[in-house]
Amino acid sequence: MAYQGKKLINDPNDVVTEFIEGLVETYPGLQYLDGFPQIKVVLRADVSPSQYDKVAVISGGGAGHEPAHAGFVGPGMLTAAVSGDVFASPPVDSILAAIRAVTGPKGCLLIVKNYTGDRLNFGLAAEQAKSEGYKVEMVIVGDDCALPPPRGIAGRRGLAGTILVHKVAGAAADAGLTLTEVAGEAKKAAELVGTMGVALSVCTLPGLVTSDRLDADKMEIGLGIHGEPGLAVVDLQPVDVVVAHVLKQILSPETGYVPITRGCNVVLMVNGLGATPMMELMIATRKAVPELQLEHGVAVDRVYTGSFMTSLDMAGFSITLMKSDPLILDRLDAPTKAPYWPVAVEGNRPPAKIPVPVPIPPSYSSTTDEILSQPQELTKLGYTLEAAIEAAANEVIALRDDLNEWDAKAGDGDCGTTMYRGASAVLEDMKKRYPMNDAAETVNEIGATIRRVMGGTSGILYDILCKAAYANLKGRSEPTAQEWANALEASLAAVSKYGGARAGYRTMLDALVPACTTLKERLDAGDDAVTAFVSSSEAAMAGAESTKNMQAQAGRSSYIAPENLVSIPDPGAMAAAAWYRAAALAVASKLKS
């Protein structure tokens, strides 16, 4: 039976910002940008971009993995770390703020774990920063060795091996190397590292119930750092047996994930996942070192044991191996004051926070200097849009618990919460500022709202959806049905282009692509706009339901064994179908009343 998790927190919505405040109070070498709650960036207190003569190294991702990433900010390691909400990718504006805050003439390197949301948000921020004149390179780390290839477009997940890449890159940057050289060393390090995890319990997100997916006498092999299901659930085994299995999997010649063979030298990291006592981690380390030496014929040059990249309160550990050579060891041994590598806390304490170096990008989109606002009197189009948006948002809000339940089995369990956050904000902003008599601008404003509050992969994909639709509708304040269909088609093409998924990949596209196809077909056949819209909404729902029988090829569910997804619909597709159908029925009711 699921039960409410116990947490030593205040408001679940404030856990990330309050963690950052506590962190900088503890370590005098750290500061944070004064942009809460949208911008959550920890940076070195001794770095000024105008005077910084080294390559800046920036990383980040969703919160919940502490001490990663903020705990590894310091001389000789990261220059700044960007945090999203719990298990949600940081938004583009936060990443841009970090780049602007610490990047000097030598440029910056972004180190990104291989998750779709992180790649999209960091990638878009990198492109924006380049357009502003910054030198930016990006290295993706995918060190997961649990799941057999191929992994489709998603690739291998980024896990605790990312911390070793941080150290290598940070030391190279501290040595004064160029951006190209630092990026080259980081990329090489990422190619030499492999990780696999084992869990005794699942994690509990702040404010949510604890999943009962894992029985007391079971353990899970190869799960991800967001609590997503792993390779297999097996009976609880002695730690020596578990360690031997994990090392064998990482070093498997069949997968060839790491270039480590007999006679090689390695670095070993035993990483706690959040609720594992140091005693148990040391017991695992005690087995791992001789197992590597005697059974696999490799020399162990360095051993790191502790909690480096966690999954909230998950009980378990991961093991990371990196092939070592003299240069890798020099980088790992180089001095650093990053707090969790570990470091003392001496030194004078500077102010805990400093201003964001440039004005925070506006939360809302605007094409003119005038603030957009809802018109005093709505036209027929305005009333219809209002009804459609309100119905769609309310449907998503009502579906929150179901979406979370589906996502707990297919991902990290927060799809409903994320969509609820976006839908609630849309309802609030619609009352204040959406120009409902202008369809194109309203769609653009919806995208701006979503970008501001949702975060993660869903947030940026819906933002892309709205931005592409807006580009297609721009200048058409009252689009025809065919123009709406063309805009939907263009927006889906943009989502596919940047997200990498297509229909059949078990994503929201499996609801929206059939909807778009049906909409265009019915309009071409001569149906009126309302009839075509309602028909296409039925296709959206059928498409979403069909994901129960699909093998995931994108997103976090692609890491889950297909048999574990049987009869479980994709939550993203169900959410899309729900709001689309609600909007269609609202339009039908409004125009036929």
Side-chain angles (χ1 to χ4, degrees):
M1 176 182 292
Y3 58 91
Q4 185 71 39
K6 296 180 180 179
K7 299 285 185 182
L8 291 170
I9 62 173
N10 300 305
D11 187 333
N13 295 313
D14 297 333
V15 293
V16 182
T17 55
E18 291 181 355
F19 158 75
I20 291 173
E21 289 170 341
L23 182 75
V24 300
E25 290 294 339
T26 304
Y27 298 105
L30 303 181
Q31 296 175 310
Y32 66 88
L33 295 181
D34 187 13
F36 287 169
Q38 288 86 7
I39 292 179
K40 298 181 277 288
V41 175
V42 174
L43 65 159
R44 285 173 52 180
D46 62 338
V47 170
S48 170
S50 60
Q51 300 174 358
Y52 194 51
D53 61 352
K54 296 177 180 178
V55 173
V57 181
I58 301 173
S59 190
H65 307 303
E66 292 71 26
H69 296 274
F72 298 106
V73 174
M77 212 161 174
L78 297 180
T79 321
V82 193
S83 180
D85 293 322
V86 174
F87 293 171
S89 304
V92 173
D93 291 341
S94 295
I95 301 165
L96 278 171
I99 294 172
R100 293 166 181 151
V102 299
T103 303
K106 295 192 74 170
C108 74
L109 172 66
L110 304 179
I111 299 177
V112 182
K113 299 190 303 300
N114 187 33
Y115 294 98
T116 304
D118 287 352
R119 291 200 318 267
L120 288 168
N121 283 285
F122 275 88
L124 186 54
E127 294 302 317
Q128 177 64 34
K130 289 176 185 177
S131 73
E132 296 177 11
Y134 291 96
K135 299 176 183 176
V136 183
E137 294 288 344
M138 189 164 79
V139 170
I140 307 294
V141 182
D143 54 316
D144 179 25
C145 294
L147 304 176
R151 295 261 47 86
I153 63 168
R156 295 163 63 192
R157 299 173 289 195
L159 302 174
T162 308
I163 305 303
L164 297 177
V165 180
H166 289 167
K167 185 64 177 66
V168 170
D174 203 45
L177 272 62
T178 66
L179 177 58
T180 300
E181 292 168 334
V182 174
E185 288 201 21
K187 185 174 185 297
K188 177 187 174 184
E191 294 169 349
L192 299 177
V193 68
T195 301
M196 182 172 170
V198 177
L200 306 181
S201 69
V202 296
C203 58
T204 304
L205 275 69
L208 299 184
V209 298
T210 299
S211 170
D212 58 358
R213 190 180 81 230
L214 205 54
D215 292 336
D217 60 345
K218 300 293 183 181
M219 61 193 304
E220 192 155 11
I221 305 292
L223 78 170
I225 55 173
H226 307 95
E228 63 267 38
L231 180 64
V233 174
V234 300
D235 291 335
L236 191 62
Q237 299 289 324
V239 68
D240 283 3
V241 176
V242 176
V243 168
H245 174 79
V246 170
L247 292 176
K248 183 178 180 181
Q249 182 75 11
I250 294 174
L251 297 171
S252 169
E254 284 76 25
T255 60
Y257 276 149
V258 289
I260 300 172
T261 56
R262 287 187 175 274
C264 289
N265 291 52
V266 300
V267 169
L268 167 68
M269 172 183 281
V270 178
N271 170 61
L273 294 178
T276 308
M278 183 60 73
M279 177 184 288
E280 295 178 22
L281 296 179
M282 288 300 180
I283 292 172
T285 299
R286 150 211 157 271
K287 170 63 176 176
V289 172
E291 183 77 6
L292 285 166
Q293 294 169 334
L294 300 177
E295 293 298 322
H296 297 281
V298 300
V300 181
D301 288 328
R302 301 288 186 276
V303 178
Y304 304 100
T305 302
S307 293
F308 304 98
M309 182 176 288
T310 64
S311 184
L312 292 171
D313 56 353
M314 182 181 289
F317 66 90
S318 65
I319 292 178
T320 298
L321 297 178
M322 174 182 276
K323 184 178 181 180
S324 60
D325 57 36
L327 179 59
I328 290 285
L329 294 179
D330 284 346
R331 299 306 187 209
L332 294 176
D333 292 343
T336 178
K337 289 189 176 181
Y340 284 88
W341 184 258
V343 67
V345 293
E346 72 276 10
N348 296 324
R349 188 178 303 279
K353 61 182 178 181
I354 62 172
V356 177
V358 295
I360 299 174
S363 298
Y364 301 99
S365 171
S366 179
T367 56
T368 71
D369 292 334
E370 298 179 2
I371 299 177
L372 294 171
S373 61
Q374 192 176 46
Q376 292 294 321
E377 295 184 7
L378 294 181
T379 62
K380 181 179 179 181
L381 170 69
Y383 280 118
T384 305
L385 270 179
E386 182 180 57
I389 295 169
E390 185 173 6
N394 283 326
E395 186 68 18
V396 169
I397 289 170
L399 203 59
R400 177 180 62 177
D401 292 343
D402 287 338
L403 293 174
N404 278 337
E405 181 179 351
W406 292 322
D407 197 36
K409 299 173 182 176
D412 55 21
D414 68 344
C415 177
T417 302
T418 300
M419 295 295 295
Y420 175 93
R421 188 185 306 124
S424 298
V426 165
L427 286 178
E428 182 178 349
D429 287 355
M430 181 181 71
K431 299 172 184 175
K432 298 177 181 178
R433 52 171 294 105
Y434 288 180
M436 304 300 295
N437 291 342
D438 189 318
E441 293 297 339
T442 295
V443 169
N444 197 33
E445 290 302 310
I446 292 173
T449 297
I450 289 171
R451 174 174 174 172
R452 175 170 54 87
V453 302
M454 275 183 64
T457 303
S458 297
I460 193 167
L461 288 177
Y462 272 106
D463 187 17
I464 289 171
L465 190 84
C466 291
K467 289 294 185 280
Y470 169 70
N472 200 268
L473 293 171
K474 193 173 182 180
R476 303 178 179 92
S477 60
E478 296 191 15
T480 65
Q482 191 62 56
E483 287 170 341
W484 276 113
N486 292 340
L488 177 59
E489 185 176 48
S491 65
L492 296 181
V495 168
S496 181
K497 174 183 177 182
Y498 290 105
R502 300 195 301 269
Y505 276 32
R506 204 177 190 275
T507 70
M508 70 177 184
L509 293 180
D510 291 302
L512 296 180
V513 168
C516 182
T517 300
T518 301
L519 180 61
K520 293 180 73 71
E521 287 177 349
R522 297 319 307 162
L523 290 173
D524 291 342
D527 285 2
D528 64 86
V530 172
T531 301
F533 194 7
V534 172
S535 295
S536 68
S537 74
E538 295 168 355
M541 191 58 67
E545 290 286 347
S546 73
T547 61
K548 293 178 179 178
N549 303 311
M550 290 182 186
Q551 181 174 346
Q553 299 184 59
R556 286 179 182 154
S557 60
S558 65
Y559 304 125
I560 300 172
E563 58 268 22
N564 292 336
L565 295 177
V566 174
S567 79
I568 300 170
D570 178 70
M574 293 299 290
W579 65 252
Y580 189 98
R581 179 159 177 77
L585 295 178
V587 169
S589 175
K590 197 73 178 177
L591 295 182
K592 292 186 176 181
S593 60

